[in-house]
Amino acid sequence: MVSGLAALLCFGMGWAIVSTGWTGGASPAERMLKLFLSAGYGLGAFSTLFLVLRALGMVSVPAIDVLAFAVLLIGWRLSRRLVPGATVVPAPGHDHPGWLRGSLTAGFGAALAAALYCAVRRTIAYPNGEGWDVFAIWNLHARFLFRGGAGWREGFSALIPWSHPDYPLLLPGAIAHFWSDLGHETYVVPAIIGLVFTISTAGVLFSALMLLRGRNVAMLGGLALLATPSFIEQGTSQYADIPLSFFILATVVMLCQHDASLALSAPWAGWIALAGLAAGFAAWTKNEGLLFLCSLLFARFLMSAGGKRTGQAGETLAQPTSFTLLLLSALPILLIILWFKRFIAPPGDLFVYAATTFHKFSDLARYRAIAKWFGKQFFRFGHWLWVPGSLLVAGIFVAWRIWGPQHRGDVVATGPRTGFRVCVVALTITLCGYFVIYVITPYDVYWHLRFSLNRLFLQLWPSAIFLCFVEIGVAGGQGGGNRDVSK
Amino acid sequence: MPRNAGSFPARLAIAVLIFVLGCLLSSARLVLEAPRGHIPDDVARRSDLRFASLKAALPTEGVVGYVGSPRDSIGYYYLAQYALAPLVLDHSVNHPLIVGNFPSSAPQLPANLEVLRDFGNGVLLLAAKDQP
C-alpha cells in the first residue's frame, strides 16, 4: 500500500514537472514520451527532495511528498495559461515498403522481447545488483542517507576513500527516499529503480524518434539500443551509468523538440527548461554528468555567439535568453550539487595529485595509449555478438546518406537545427573531457580504462543513437511530421 | 503533409535488413546469457547476515577501526562497511573499538589488540590493549 503510494507520488511529481514544461497534443507518441520522461524526472525530484529535507534536518514522510506533489500540480495548472495552442503532429513513417516494414516490426518486437526477458531475469537473479560498485558506492551511500539520521554526513567521509564520497547522490537519494517512505530497507527498491531507468531510456529514445521522425525510424533506433547487451546488463546491475544516460538523452530530446517547435514558428521555452532540468539531474547523478552540463552550457554559449555574429533569424534557441533559461532551469540542482561538494563531500580523487598532472599532460605516450583504447572500445563497448552495434549504426547512417530517398530528388525536410548542433557539440566536448580525465588520472591508466571506458561510452550511447537517427530522418525526408500545426 | 512518393531504394532496404539481422544477433546473446534457474550467490546479503550480531554490539554511529587479513581483497572491507553503515569503518587500528574481519583465514592480530568477542565466521570485536 505505502510502496504503491510512494511510487505513484514519485511518478506524479515527474508527470507534473514534465507537463509544466510541455506543449502539444495527445498523440500516442507524445503520451509515451511523457510517460517515460515522467518516470525519470520523478526519480530525480524524489532524490532532490530527500536531500533538501535531510539538509534541513527533516525526515521524508509521504505527507511531505503529497505536499510537494500538490505544489507541482499548482505550478502545472498556472503554466497552462502560458502554453501556445500549437500541436506537434507526429511524423509519418509511410515510405517503407510493406515487407520491409513487416520485417522491421518483427525484428523490433523480437529485440524488445529479448531485452525485457533479460532485464527481468537479471533483476530477479541479482536483486542486490552486480559488481562491487553497487555496495561499495551507490547502495552504501543510500544506506548512509537512510540509516544515518541526523549524522548522515559522516558517511561521506574521506575515511572511506574508495567509496567515492564525492559522487553525486541522485541514485542513493531516490533509493533512500523510498526506504524512508516505507520505513525499512528492501533490496527491491534499487532493483526496481534500475529496471525503471533501463526501460525508460529505451522508451524515451523510441517515442521521441517516433514523434519526430516516424515509426520506422523509431524502430531502427530502438532496435539499436535494445540489442546492446551491455545496456541491459548495466541497467540492471544498479550502477548509475544508465540513469545518467537517461538524463543526457532527455536533455538531447528536449532540445530537438525545441527545434521542432521552431519549425512550427511556435517556439516554446518549456522544452529548454526541461532540457536544463534534465542536464541538472545528469550532473546530480554522476560527476560525468557535471562534465556534460558544463559542455552543454559551453556549446550553447558558442552557438549563441555564432548566432549573433551571423545574425540568423528564427533560430531563437541561440539567443542569449535561451542560454540563460537553460542555466536557470539547471540552477536549483546545481546549487544542491555545489552545497554537497563544498560542505559535505571531500575532494574528488582525480584531482588530489595536482603536482603530477602537468607531467601527465606532456606525456605523449599516454595520449597514444588512450586513443588506442578509445578506438578499440568503439567497436567493443556494447558486448555485441560478432557485429558491433556502433558499426551497424554507422553503416545504416552512411547507407541512408548514399542511397536515401533524398537522392531521388524527394523533398528533404529542413528547419532550425540549433538544438541538434548544440547536442552534437556538447556530446563531443563531453567525450573529449573523458579523454582528458584518463590523461590526468592518478591511477594506472590501463586499469582505469579497462574498468570504466565501456561504461562511459554507454552513458552517451542512447543519445548518439538518437542524434544519428534524427539525422537519418531528415536526410530521408521524414522530418516533415512537425510541419503540420493544429490550433 | 509532405509525402515521399516512389519506391524505397532496394539497396537501402538490404542495408536495413542487414542492420536488423546484425542487431538480432546480439539480442540472441542477451537471451542465451540471461541468468535462469540458478540464482547466483549474493555476497552482499550474506555479508549483512554475517555482521548482524556484531552490528548489535557496536555503537549506532561514529567511527570504529578495522583490521583484516592483508591477503584478503579490499572488497571484504567494503562488504563490512556496507553491512555496518552508518557506522564508519576506518581501515586503521588506532581506535578504541576495532572490527576484525577474517573471512578466509585464521586471524593474525597485531600484538596490541585483544579480542573482546568472537562472533564466528571470522568476525571479531577487538580493542586496543592500552585503551580503557
Side-chain angles (χ1 to χ4, degrees):
Chain A
M1 175 68 182
V2 178
S3 57
L5 177 67
L8 205 63
L9 284 168
C10 178
F11 179 82
M13 281 187 205
W15 183 87
I17 291 168
V18 172
S19 298
T20 303
W22 198 273
T23 180
S27 69
E30 280 176 292
R31 281 185 189 159
M32 218 189 314
L33 182 56
K34 253 177 114 168
L35 175 87
F36 290 121
L37 285 172
S38 298
Y41 277 81
L43 285 164
F46 236 42
S47 168
T48 309
L49 179 62
F50 185 85
L51 257 293
V52 169
L53 292 173
R54 269 281 180 256
L56 297 173
M58 297 165 70
V59 180
S60 171
V61 290
I64 295 177
D65 295 343
V66 172
L67 189 67
F69 177 52
V71 169
L72 288 171
L73 272 184
I74 292 167
W76 166 67
R77 283 301 303 167
L78 292 175
S79 74
R80 292 303 87 189
R81 297 175 185 181
L82 304 170
V83 178
T87 298
V88 178
V89 176
H94 49 65
D95 72 337
H96 289 53
W99 66 269
L100 185 60
R101 203 164 51 238
S103 306
L104 193 50
T105 306
F108 176 76
L112 178 63
L116 285 175
Y117 171 77
C118 181
V120 171
R121 297 270 359 162
R122 287 180 59 83
T123 303
I124 293 167
Y126 306 110
N128 281 299
E130 191 187 12
W132 291 90
D133 282 9
V134 178
F135 58 83
I137 301 174
W138 306 110
N139 289 354
L140 175 64
H141 291 171
R143 281 191 170 181
F144 276 121
L145 288 173
F146 174 65
R147 294 180 179 179
W152 66 274
R153 295 163 194 239
E154 286 182 22
F156 300 88
S157 151
L159 291 175
I160 324 171
W162 277 88
S163 77
H164 296 286
D166 65 309
Y167 276 14
L169 295 174
L170 185 138
L171 198 53
I175 294 167
H177 193 147
F178 274 103
W179 285 347
S180 189
D181 282 358
L182 295 173
H184 63 90
E185 282 176 34
T186 165
Y187 62 86
V188 175
V189 168
I192 294 287
I193 288 177
L195 198 59
V196 166
F197 269 118
T198 308
I199 293 171
S200 298
T201 307
V204 166
L205 175 69
F206 176 81
S207 49
L209 282 173
M210 188 168 164
L211 182 64
L212 293 170
R213 296 292 179 258
R215 188 163 159 267
N216 296 327
V217 175
M219 283 194 290
L220 285 170
L223 191 56
L225 186 62
L226 291 170
T228 304
S230 287
F231 171 73
I232 305 296
E233 290 158 6
Q234 280 297 323
T236 51
S237 67
Q238 300 176 25
Y239 280 37
D241 300 282
I242 299 306
L244 175 59
S245 80
F246 171 88
F247 288 115
I248 293 176
L249 176 65
T251 308
V252 169
V253 165
M254 291 298 100
L255 290 178
C256 288
Q257 276 282 85
H258 187 261
D259 281 353
S261 75
L262 289 174
L264 294 168
S265 302
W268 172 236
W271 302 124
I272 302 176
L274 285 174
L277 187 58
F281 282 144
W284 185 226
T285 306
K286 281 198 91 177
N287 285 337
E288 294 94 313
L290 200 53
L291 173 63
F292 170 71
L293 175 62
C294 294
S295 304
L296 184 75
L297 291 171
F298 182 66
R300 171 56 48 81
F301 177 77
L302 281 182
M303 290 290 171
S304 296
K308 270 194 294 189
R309 201 168 50 246
T310 56
Q312 290 172 324
E315 301 253 346
T316 57
L317 192 67
Q319 297 303 314
T321 48
S322 297
F323 172 83
T324 310
L325 182 58
L326 191 72
L327 181 62
L328 282 177
S329 49
L331 197 59
I333 312 296
L334 206 50
L335 288 175
I336 292 172
I337 296 168
L338 290 174
W339 164 78
F340 173 70
K341 297 270 185 188
R342 174 71 181 81
F343 297 107
I344 309 292
D349 54 354
L350 290 174
F351 303 102
V352 289
Y353 304 103
T356 60
T357 301
F358 179 76
H359 170 70
K360 286 172 178 167
F361 262 127
S362 58
D363 183 359
L364 285 179
R366 287 178 78 86
Y367 289 86
R368 273 196 299 272
I370 296 163
K372 196 174 165 187
W373 269 84
F374 267 60
K376 198 167 65 177
Q377 278 296 320
F378 178 77
F379 298 105
R380 293 174 60 175
F381 73 91
H383 193 213
W384 292 290
L385 181 66
W386 296 341
V387 193
S390 49
L391 204 62
L392 286 169
V393 171
I396 197 78
F397 181 81
V398 172
W400 219 288
R401 283 286 187 183
I402 297 171
W403 300 313
Q406 75 277 16
H407 289 279
R408 302 192 313 260
D410 290 352
V411 174
V412 175
T414 55
R417 303 183 67 216
T418 311
F420 176 86
R421 291 190 197 109
V422 164
C423 293
V424 171
V425 173
L427 292 181
T428 307
I429 295 172
T430 305
L431 198 61
C432 293
Y434 291 170
F435 191 99
V436 172
I437 292 297
Y438 285 115
V439 172
I440 63 167
T441 179
Y443 307 114
D444 175 67
V445 69
Y446 294 103
W447 172 87
H448 204 173
L449 284 160
R450 183 175 299 119
F451 288 104
S452 61
L453 186 57
N454 60 333
R455 286 187 286 116
L456 297 194
F457 275 13
L458 272 179
Q459 293 167 6
L460 306 181
W461 180 231
S463 300
I465 294 174
F466 175 79
L467 291 172
C468 242
F469 283 93
V470 157
E471 185 69 2
I472 276 178
V474 170
Q478 290 193 351
N482 294 299
R483 296 304 181 85
D484 290 349
V485 183
S486 56
K487 300 240 181 191
Chain B
M1 185 181 296
R3 295 181 68 91
N4 294 307
S7 62
F8 194 79
R11 280 179 290 194
L12 188 55
I14 292 168
V16 169
L17 280 182
I18 292 171
F19 175 84
V20 172
L21 290 173
C23 287
L24 288 179
L25 280 174
S26 293
S27 288
R29 162 173 269 180
L30 266 175
V31 174
L32 291 173
E33 293 185 357
R36 62 183 79 109
H38 166 70
I39 304 297
D41 194 15
D42 188 345
V43 288
R45 197 184 297 181
R46 271 197 303 128
S47 177
D48 279 358
L49 292 172
R50 200 169 147 253
F51 285 99
S53 304
L54 172 64
K55 186 173 167 55
L58 287 169
T60 53
E61 58 185 39
V63 182
V64 296
Y66 176 89
V67 64
S69 168
R71 288 191 301 269
D72 284 342
S73 154
I74 188 72
Y76 287 112
Y77 163 73
Y78 284 102
L79 283 168
Q81 176 62 80
Y82 184 61
L84 298 174
L87 205 60
V88 173
L89 300 187
D90 182 12
H91 210 313
S92 150
V93 293
N94 299 321
H95 292 273
L97 284 176
I98 298 125
V99 171
N101 186 18
F102 301 91
S104 57
S105 57
Q108 292 179 326
L109 299 175
N112 63 329
L113 295 184
E114 62 178 342
V115 177
L116 292 181
R117 195 170 160 191
D118 186 342
F119 291 88
N121 285 322
V123 177
L124 305 171
L125 180 58
L126 310 166
K129 282 178 180 167
D130 54 344
Q131 295 289 334

